[in-house]
């Protein structure tokens, strides 16, 4: 099932349908995909569930707190293995063809050592538990005006996050900005059918921005990790760091351009 809310149903029914679709897709991915891919997809499904709940957070506070904690815990159980794979993949994207064999071997071994099959099994049980609760979510009082309110609220939060990130230039502020961009991207996907003209066109540039921020983060983490073990990679580290610096500059230019385009002002107008 596509990650979008149906515009010909009450909001409550559409939210439940979309949530059921995410849990079902996560369980299917768990069965069908290799471990690395399964971890990646499961974490995405959890983030999409949390994004869906954030859209109506102001109206369902207790439900949001409980279910958000559930899917955050589920995703965090897989975070270590995913981060290790992300850094290896960042190297492969930057330098395909085994250009840095010592570093690649280190990252491959590190990714393997972070695998946790028991965490995936625990995930299966938690997904089923979460799915069983969806029909009981107290959403019936919600109207589409509440979705509009949530969308505009998280746009403002993202606008503030980008401003803070560019002012502070810190890893923490850019990490927060990336999270807010992903929320806004998820909300744009959810509302693309209901508000096609004003929201639908934002999806692709938001996806590009989220990807650029993710690639930028992964490369910075890779540099930090390798810098702590510089003596192990004689002859490879300095050329890799030079290549990384160039790529980081390219990504930063893309981030700046997309940020100005997508968040030109504090408020976002959304039709009723």
């Amino acid at each position: 099932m596509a990650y979008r809310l149906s515009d010909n149903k009450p909001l409550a029914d559409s939210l439940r349908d979309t949530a059921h679709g995410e849990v079902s897709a996560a369980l299917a991915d768990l069965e069908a995909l290799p471990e690395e891919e399964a971890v990646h997809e499961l974490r995405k499904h959890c983030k999409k569930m949390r994004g869906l709940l954030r859209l109506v957070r102001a109206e369902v506070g207790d439900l949001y707190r409980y279910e958000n904690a559930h899917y955050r815990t589920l995703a965090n159980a897989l975070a270590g293995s995913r981060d290790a794979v992300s850094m290896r993949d960042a190297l492969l994207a930057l330098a395909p063809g085994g250009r840095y064999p010592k570093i690649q071997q280190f990252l491959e071994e590190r990714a393997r050592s972070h695998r946790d099959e028991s965490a995936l099994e625990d995930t299966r049980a938690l997904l089923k538990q979460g799915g069983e609760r969806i029909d009981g979510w107290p959403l019936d009082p919600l109207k589409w005006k509440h979705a509009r309110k949530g969308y505009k609220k998280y746009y403002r939060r993202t606008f503030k996050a980008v401003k803070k990130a560019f002012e502070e230039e810190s890893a923490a502020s850019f990490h927060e900005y990336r999270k807010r961009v992903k929320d806004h991207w998820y909300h744009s996907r959810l509302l693309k059918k209901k508000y096609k003209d004003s929201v639908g066109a934002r999806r692709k540039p938001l996806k590009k921005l989220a990807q650029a921020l993710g690639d930028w983060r992964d490369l910075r983490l890779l540099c930090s990790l390798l810098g702590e073990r510089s003596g192990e990679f004689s002859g490879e580290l300095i050329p890799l760091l030079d290549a990384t610096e160039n790529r980081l500059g390219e990504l930063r230019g893309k981030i700046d351009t997309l940020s100005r385009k997508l968040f030109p002002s504090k408020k976002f107008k959304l039709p009723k």
Side-chain angles (χ1 to χ4, degrees), residues 116-256:
D116 188 348
E117 293 183 6
S118 63
L120 279 177
E121 287 303 312
D122 293 342
T123 293
R124 192 193 314 274
L126 288 170
L127 282 169
K128 290 180 178 178
Q129 290 171 16
E132 290 168 357
R133 292 194 297 267
I134 291 171
D135 286 338
W137 285 2
L139 304 176
D140 290 339
L142 294 180
K143 306 297 181 185
W144 281 103
K145 65 180 182 180
H146 299 125
R148 292 195 299 271
K149 178 182 176 182
Y151 187 88
K152 290 187 285 187
K153 175 182 178 181
Y154 274 88
Y155 172 90
R156 290 193 300 272
R157 290 191 67 179
T158 311
F159 177 86
K160 291 178 181 178
V162 64
K163 185 177 180 182
K164 184 176 181 181
F166 290 152
E167 287 175 351
E168 295 185 357
E169 293 290 341
S170 67
S173 62
F174 268 91
H175 180 58
E176 182 67 18
Y177 177 35
R178 178 176 174 245
K179 290 195 296 183
R180 298 287 76 82
V181 165
K182 281 202 165 186
D183 281 336
H184 187 52
W185 175 43
Y186 290 146
H187 292 170
S188 296
R189 293 173 65 184
L190 288 168
L191 295 182
K192 68 179 181 180
K193 194 170 183 181
K194 182 73 172 178
Y195 304 104
K196 184 177 180 180
D197 293 337
S198 56
V199 171
R202 297 180 65 79
R203 292 180 298 116
K204 288 184 179 180
L206 281 167
K207 181 179 181 179
K208 290 179 181 179
L209 178 55
Q211 288 176 334
L213 285 163
D215 291 346
W216 193 71
R217 171 186 177 271
D218 290 342
L219 282 175
R220 293 190 64 175
L221 288 175
L222 177 62
C223 290
S224 178
L225 174 67
L226 297 179
E228 296 171 357
R229 312 173 70 100
S230 57
E232 300 178 29
F233 309 115
S234 176
E236 292 187 5
L237 185 59
I238 292 178
L240 175 60
L241 292 178
D242 287 342
T244 300
E245 197 64 32
N246 290 334
R247 179 57 179 154
L248 285 170
E250 293 172 359
L251 288 169
R252 181 55 190 268
K254 188 174 185 179
I255 290 167
D256 290 358

Side-chain angles (χ1 to χ4, degrees), residues 64-76:
Y64 169 79
R65 282 187 287 274
Y66 186 85
E67 296 293 351
N68 182 63
H70 176 83
Y71 290 102
R72 181 181 61 226
T73 298
L74 198 158
N76 285 348

